[in-house]
Coordinates of all heavy atoms in Angstrom, one line a residue:
Chain B
G357 N 13.8 -55.8 23.1 CA 14.4 -54.9 22.1 C 13.4 -54.3 21.1 O 13.7 -53.6 20.2
I358 N 12.1 -54.7 21.3 CA 11.1 -54.2 20.3 C 10.6 -52.9 20.8 O 10.3 -52.7 22.0 CB 9.9 -55.2 20.3 CG1 10.4 -56.6 19.8 CG2 8.9 -54.7 19.3 CD1 9.5 -57.7 20.0
A359 N 10.5 -52.0 19.9 CA 10.1 -50.6 20.3 C 8.7 -50.6 20.8 O 7.8 -51.1 20.1 CB 10.2 -49.7 19.1
K360 N 8.5 -50.1 21.9 CA 7.1 -50.1 22.5 C 6.4 -48.9 21.8 O 7.0 -48.0 21.3 CB 7.1 -49.9 24.0 CG 7.5 -51.2 24.7 CD 7.4 -51.2 26.1 CE 5.9 -51.1 26.6 NZ 5.8 -51.2 28.0
G361 N 5.1 -48.9 22.0 CA 4.3 -47.9 21.4 C 4.7 -46.5 21.8 O 5.2 -46.2 22.9
A362 N 4.5 -45.5 20.9 CA 4.7 -44.2 21.2 C 3.7 -43.7 22.2 O 2.6 -44.1 22.2 CB 4.7 -43.3 19.9
K363 N 4.1 -42.7 23.0 CA 3.2 -42.1 23.9 C 2.6 -40.8 23.3 O 3.4 -39.9 22.9 CB 3.8 -41.8 25.3 CG 4.4 -43.0 25.9 CD 3.3 -44.0 26.4 CE 3.9 -45.1 27.1 NZ 4.8 -46.0 26.3
L364 N 1.4 -40.8 23.1 CA 0.8 -39.6 22.6 C 0.3 -38.8 23.8 O -0.2 -39.3 24.8 CB -0.4 -39.9 21.7 CG -0.2 -40.9 20.6 CD1 -1.5 -41.2 19.8 CD2 0.9 -40.4 19.7
E365 N 0.3 -37.5 23.6 CA -0.2 -36.6 24.6 C -1.5 -36.0 24.2 O -1.6 -35.4 23.1 CB 0.8 -35.4 24.8 CG 0.9 -34.9 26.2 CD 2.0 -33.9 26.2 OE1 1.8 -32.7 25.8 OE2 3.1 -34.2 26.7
L366 N -2.5 -36.2 25.0 CA -3.8 -35.7 24.6 C -4.3 -34.7 25.7 O -4.2 -35.0 26.9 CB -4.8 -36.9 24.6 CG -6.1 -36.8 23.9 CD1 -5.9 -36.5 22.5 CD2 -7.0 -38.0 24.1
S367 N -4.7 -33.5 25.2 CA -5.1 -32.5 26.2 C -6.4 -31.9 25.8 O -6.7 -31.8 24.6 CB -4.0 -31.4 26.3 OG -2.7 -31.9 26.1
A368 N -7.1 -31.3 26.7 CA -8.3 -30.6 26.4 C -8.5 -29.5 27.4 O -8.0 -29.6 28.6 CB -9.5 -31.6 26.4
N369 N -9.3 -28.5 27.0 CA -9.7 -27.5 28.0 C -11.2 -27.3 28.0 O -11.9 -27.9 27.3 CB -8.9 -26.2 27.7 CG -9.4 -25.5 26.4 OD1 -10.4 -25.8 25.9 ND2 -8.6 -24.5 26.0
M370 N -11.6 -26.4 28.9 CA -13.0 -26.3 29.1 C -13.6 -25.2 28.1 O -14.7 -24.7 28.3 CB -13.4 -25.8 30.5 CG -13.3 -27.0 31.5 SD -14.4 -28.4 31.1 CE -16.0 -27.8 31.4
H371 N -12.9 -24.9 27.0 CA -13.3 -24.0 26.0 C -13.4 -24.6 24.7 O -13.3 -23.9 23.7 CB -12.4 -22.7 26.0 CG -12.4 -22.0 27.3 ND1 -13.4 -21.2 27.7 CD2 -11.6 -22.1 28.4 CE1 -13.1 -20.7 29.0 NE2 -12.0 -21.3 29.4
G372 N -13.6 -25.9 24.6 CA -13.9 -26.6 23.4 C -12.6 -26.9 22.6 O -12.7 -27.1 21.4
C373 N -11.5 -27.0 23.2 CA -10.3 -27.3 22.5 C -9.7 -28.6 22.9 O -9.7 -29.0 24.0 CB -9.2 -26.2 22.8 SG -9.7 -24.6 22.3
L374 N -9.2 -29.3 21.9 CA -8.6 -30.6 22.1 C -7.3 -30.6 21.3 O -7.2 -30.1 20.2 CB -9.5 -31.7 21.5 CG -9.0 -33.2 21.6 CD1 -9.1 -33.7 23.0 CD2 -9.8 -34.1 20.6
R375 N -6.3 -31.1 22.0 CA -5.0 -31.1 21.3 C -4.3 -32.5 21.4 O -4.3 -33.1 22.5 CB -4.1 -30.1 22.0 CG -2.8 -29.8 21.4 CD -2.0 -28.7 22.1 NE -1.7 -29.0 23.4 CZ -1.2 -28.1 24.3 NH1 -1.2 -26.8 24.0 NH2 -0.9 -28.5 25.6
L376 N -3.8 -32.9 20.3 CA -3.0 -34.2 20.3 C -1.6 -33.9 19.9 O -1.3 -33.2 18.9 CB -3.7 -35.1 19.2 CG -3.0 -36.4 18.9 CD1 -3.1 -37.4 20.1 CD2 -3.7 -37.1 17.7
S377 N -0.7 -34.4 20.7 CA 0.8 -34.0 20.5 C 1.6 -35.3 20.6 O 1.3 -36.2 21.3 CB 1.3 -33.1 21.5 OG 0.4 -32.0 21.7
L378 N 2.7 -35.1 19.9 CA 3.8 -36.2 20.0 C 5.1 -35.4 20.2 O 5.4 -34.5 19.4 CB 3.8 -37.0 18.7 CG 5.0 -38.0 18.6 CD1 4.7 -39.1 19.5 CD2 5.1 -38.6 17.1
K379 N 5.8 -35.8 21.3 CA 7.0 -35.1 21.5 C 8.1 -36.2 21.7 O 8.1 -37.0 22.6 CB 7.0 -34.3 22.8 CG 6.0 -33.1 22.7 CD 6.0 -32.3 24.0 CE 5.0 -31.2 23.8 NZ 4.1 -31.0 24.9
T380 N 9.0 -36.2 20.7 CA 10.1 -37.1 20.8 C 11.4 -36.4 20.7 O 11.5 -35.1 20.6 CB 10.1 -38.2 19.7 OG1 10.4 -37.5 18.5 CG2 8.8 -38.8 19.6
D381 N 12.5 -37.1 20.8 CA 13.8 -36.5 20.7 C 13.9 -35.8 19.4 O 14.6 -34.7 19.3 CB 14.8 -37.7 20.7 CG 16.1 -37.2 21.3 OD1 16.1 -36.2 22.0 OD2 17.1 -37.8 21.1
A382 N 13.4 -36.3 18.3 CA 13.6 -35.8 17.0 C 12.6 -34.7 16.6 O 12.9 -33.9 15.7 CB 13.6 -36.9 16.0
M383 N 11.4 -34.7 17.2 CA 10.4 -33.8 16.7 C 9.3 -33.5 17.7 O 9.2 -34.3 18.7 CB 9.7 -34.4 15.5 CG 8.9 -35.7 15.9 SD 8.2 -36.5 14.5 CE 8.8 -38.1 14.7
G384 N 8.6 -32.5 17.5 CA 7.4 -32.2 18.3 C 6.3 -31.7 17.4 O 6.5 -30.8 16.6
I385 N 5.2 -32.5 17.4 CA 4.1 -32.1 16.5 C 2.8 -32.1 17.3 O 2.7 -32.8 18.2 CB 3.9 -33.0 15.3 CG1 4.3 -34.4 15.6 CG2 4.6 -32.5 14.1 CD1 4.0 -35.4 14.5
S386 N 1.9 -31.3 16.9 CA 0.6 -31.3 17.5 C -0.5 -30.9 16.6 O -0.3 -30.2 15.6 CB 0.6 -30.5 18.8 OG 0.7 -29.2 18.5
S387 N -1.7 -31.4 16.9 CA -2.9 -31.0 16.1 C -3.9 -30.4 17.1 O -4.0 -30.9 18.2 CB -3.5 -32.3 15.5 OG -2.6 -32.9 14.6
L388 N -4.6 -29.4 16.7 CA -5.5 -28.7 17.6 C -6.9 -28.7 17.0 O -7.1 -28.4 15.8 CB -5.0 -27.3 17.8 CG -5.9 -26.4 18.6 CD1 -5.9 -26.8 20.1 CD2 -5.4 -24.9 18.5
W389 N -7.9 -29.1 17.8 CA -9.3 -29.0 17.4 C -9.9 -27.9 18.2 O -9.7 -27.8 19.4 CB -10.1 -30.3 17.7 CG -9.9 -31.4 16.7 CD1 -10.7 -31.7 15.6 CD2 -8.8 -32.4 16.7 NE1 -10.2 -32.8 15.0 CE2 -9.0 -33.2 15.7 CE3 -7.7 -32.6 17.5 CZ2 -8.2 -34.3 15.4 CZ3 -6.9 -33.6 17.3 CH2 -7.1 -34.5 16.2
T390 N -10.7 -27.0 17.7 CA -11.4 -26.0 18.4 C -12.9 -26.1 18.1 O -13.3 -26.8 17.2 CB -10.9 -24.6 18.1 OG1 -11.1 -24.4 16.7 CG2 -9.5 -24.4 18.5
G391 N -13.7 -25.4 18.9 CA -15.1 -25.4 18.7 C -15.8 -26.6 19.1 O -17.0 -26.9 18.7
L392 N -15.2 -27.4 19.9 CA -15.9 -28.6 20.4 C -16.8 -28.2 21.6 O -16.7 -27.2 22.2 CB -14.8 -29.6 20.9 CG -13.8 -30.1 19.8 CD1 -12.8 -31.0 20.4 CD2 -14.6 -30.8 18.6
E393 N -17.6 -29.2 21.9 CA -18.6 -28.9 22.9 C -18.1 -29.4 24.3 O -17.5 -30.5 24.4 CB -19.9 -29.6 22.6 CG -21.0 -29.4 23.6 CD -22.1 -30.4 23.4 OE1 -22.2 -31.0 22.2 OE2 -22.9 -30.7 24.3
N394 N -18.3 -28.6 25.3 CA -18.0 -29.0 26.7 C -19.4 -29.2 27.3 O -20.1 -28.2 27.6 CB -17.3 -28.0 27.5 CG -15.9 -27.8 27.0 OD1 -15.6 -26.8 26.2 ND2 -15.0 -28.6 27.3

Side-chain angles (χ1 to χ4, degrees):
Chain B
I358 299 165
K360 286 187 72 175
K363 302 293 184 293
L364 305 180
E365 209 175 78
L366 197 61
S367 325
N369 70 14
M370 284 305 286
H371 300 278
C373 299
L374 177 74
R375 189 175 65 194
L376 176 66
S377 313
L378 175 67
K379 292 185 181 130
T380 69
D381 211 21
M383 65 183 129
I385 31 175
S386 67
S387 300
L388 177 69
W389 283 262
T390 56
L392 300 173
E393 182 196 335
N394 296 98

